[in-house]
Amino acid sequence: MSTLDPLGYNTGLPLRSCWYPVGFPLEVATNSVHIEQAAREAWGDFAQMSAATPATLRIHVTQPGSGTLPSPAMPRGQSHLISIVFGPDHYAMCDVSRAYAFISLTEDAARNHQWTRYHFLEPLGWLLIDALHTASVHASAIACNGRAAILCGDSGSGKTTLAYACARQGWTFLSGDAVHLMRGQSGFEIRGRPAQIRFRESARELFPELAAHPALIRPSGKADIEVSPCRLGIPVAYCAEAGEFVFLNRSTEPIYPRLTRCSRTEALDRLTGLIAFGDPDVQAAQRETIERFLTLPVHDLHYSDTASAEIALRGLMCR
């Protein structure tokens, strides 16, 4: 940085690319081929489905650092501003009202695609897409006869394993851990992330074919199995029309699967409790979207094994 540009406004970011997370444009400007490669790994499987004005990610990569990447810290936010600060060389600022984020990283971080994707690139990219276009829920989704079931539940309730168990029986897989509800529409279109499925290591006990796929230590420190659905031979789709919400309640004791009606008030509390960013307008738009989707039928599924749960879901969705 020169004395004529002490804040680095004119730092060159000559590498420009556009990606389409769940179909919406996200422009990435950087000075590092490693950032471009990381963006391709994150969003290269999505096709364009919208001509909206792109959100913008600008990533400036500086000189190599000490070789040791910093410990992560929780993001912080007020109104339309969000910050991620790991130290003087690894930080980001995001303005969701302007659909803009700026990231500064060292070359050491940029070369570590998994670390950069997990801590900076993907959180901010998805944050901007949600702020502009969707309301995301922590859920899995599968479809039968063109209608999707959104599988919700607490961590450990079996959302991913049940979605995969259904896909093994011919259902179409849309997403394992995040579902995007389309805002500003009259229908109930959802967008998924079907390029990868992430399992806990214990899933090998249910699905022997996962033995061929090693578990990897993620930047969070957890060991997960991450595999492409194409390698597992299951059908996938990137969008579908939602038909039902199903909240999962998995029992450790053997039980016969049971579907009951779920309170929309309880479902709304559980889903909107996860809206944790943005100014009042953004939060209101996301809440309104979830409220609209919850006019669909909402169920509780009590189950203990994926095989019988799939049969129960088939009776609900594929009639």
Side-chain angles (χ1 to χ4, degrees):
M1 296 182 188
S2 71
T3 56
L4 299 178
D5 185 26
L7 298 183
Y9 268 97
N10 299 321
T11 299
L13 301 176
L15 303 177
R16 302 291 181 104
S17 55
C18 195
W19 310 97
Y20 297 94
V22 290
F24 294 102
L26 174 66
E27 184 180 87
V28 173
T30 184
N31 59 337
S32 169
V33 295
H34 293 290
I35 295 298
E36 280 200 327
Q37 292 167 1
R40 181 175 294 107
E41 293 166 6
W43 302 303
D45 60 295
F46 291 100
Q48 182 177 2
M49 301 173 70
S50 169
T53 301
T56 301
L57 273 178
R58 292 174 63 85
I59 303 103
H60 178 215
V61 174
T62 62
Q63 71 282 348
S66 64
T68 301
L69 297 179
S71 299
M74 277 294 293
R76 291 291 183 265
Q78 287 290 317
S79 186
H80 57 98
L81 298 177
I82 297 168
S83 67
I84 302 175
V85 181
F86 290 6
D89 297 319
H90 304 88
Y91 58 88
M93 292 297 296
C94 177
D95 185 340
V96 295
S97 68
R98 299 287 297 273
Y100 176 90
F102 167 69
I103 305 171
S104 182
L105 301 171
T106 63
E107 182 73 17
D108 299 324
R111 289 179 179 275
N112 189 328
H113 296 184
Q114 187 184 40
W115 188 89
T116 292
R117 284 176 56 189
Y118 185 86
H119 291 299
F120 286 93
L121 205 60
E122 293 190 44
L124 290 173
W126 289 119
L127 198 68
L128 294 176
I129 295 301
D130 273 344
L132 285 173
H133 306 294
T134 68
S136 65
V137 292
H138 182 47
S140 298
I142 33 86
C144 179
N145 294 340
R147 295 173 64 244
I150 301 173
L151 308 180
C152 307
D154 297 332
S155 178
S157 60
K159 296 181 292 293
T160 301
T161 53
L162 182 52
Y164 177 56
C166 290
R168 292 170 93 220
Q169 297 300 316
W171 296 62
T172 300
F173 178 84
L174 284 104
S175 203
D177 58 8
V179 176
H180 296 261
L181 315 180
M182 294 291 289
R183 280 165 42 190
Q185 296 188 0
S186 58
F188 300 101
E189 182 184 350
I190 63 172
R191 303 271 175 93
R193 307 184 193 179
Q196 297 288 328
I197 310 181
R198 186 176 297 124
F199 299 95
R200 298 183 179 186
E201 286 190 281
S202 58
R204 290 197 181 101
E205 299 172 11
L206 297 173
F207 311 119
E209 65 270 26
L210 296 182
H213 304 280
L216 301 175
I217 303 297
R218 302 177 67 214
S220 63
K222 295 181 180 179
D224 290 327
I225 303 165
E226 191 169 293
V227 59
S228 165
C230 294
R231 297 185 64 187
L232 296 173
I234 61 174
V236 302
Y238 285 82
C239 61
E241 195 76 5
E244 313 267 348
F245 277 86
V246 180
F247 284 83
L248 303 184
N249 297 273
R250 183 167 62 179
S251 171
T252 56
E253 299 296 327
I255 62 171
Y256 190 78
R258 179 168 54 91
L259 279 161
T260 59
R261 285 284 184 172
C262 175
S263 160
R264 284 189 171 84
T265 300
E266 179 184 351
L268 183 64
D269 287 343
R270 294 176 71 176
L271 295 180
T272 57
L274 300 176
I275 299 175
F277 76 95
D279 59 25
D281 289 342
V282 169
Q283 294 200 27
Q286 298 212 353
R287 183 182 178 89
E288 288 169 6
T289 299
I290 292 173
E291 288 177 337
R292 177 169 60 84
F293 269 79
L294 285 175
T295 61
L296 293 169
V298 184
H299 306 271
D300 276 314
L301 173 60
H302 301 265
Y303 77 106
S304 57
D305 67 279
T306 57
S308 62
E310 187 274 332
I311 293 172
L313 284 176
R314 184 175 292 276
L316 176 70
M317 297 293 301
C318 304
R319 54 182 183 269

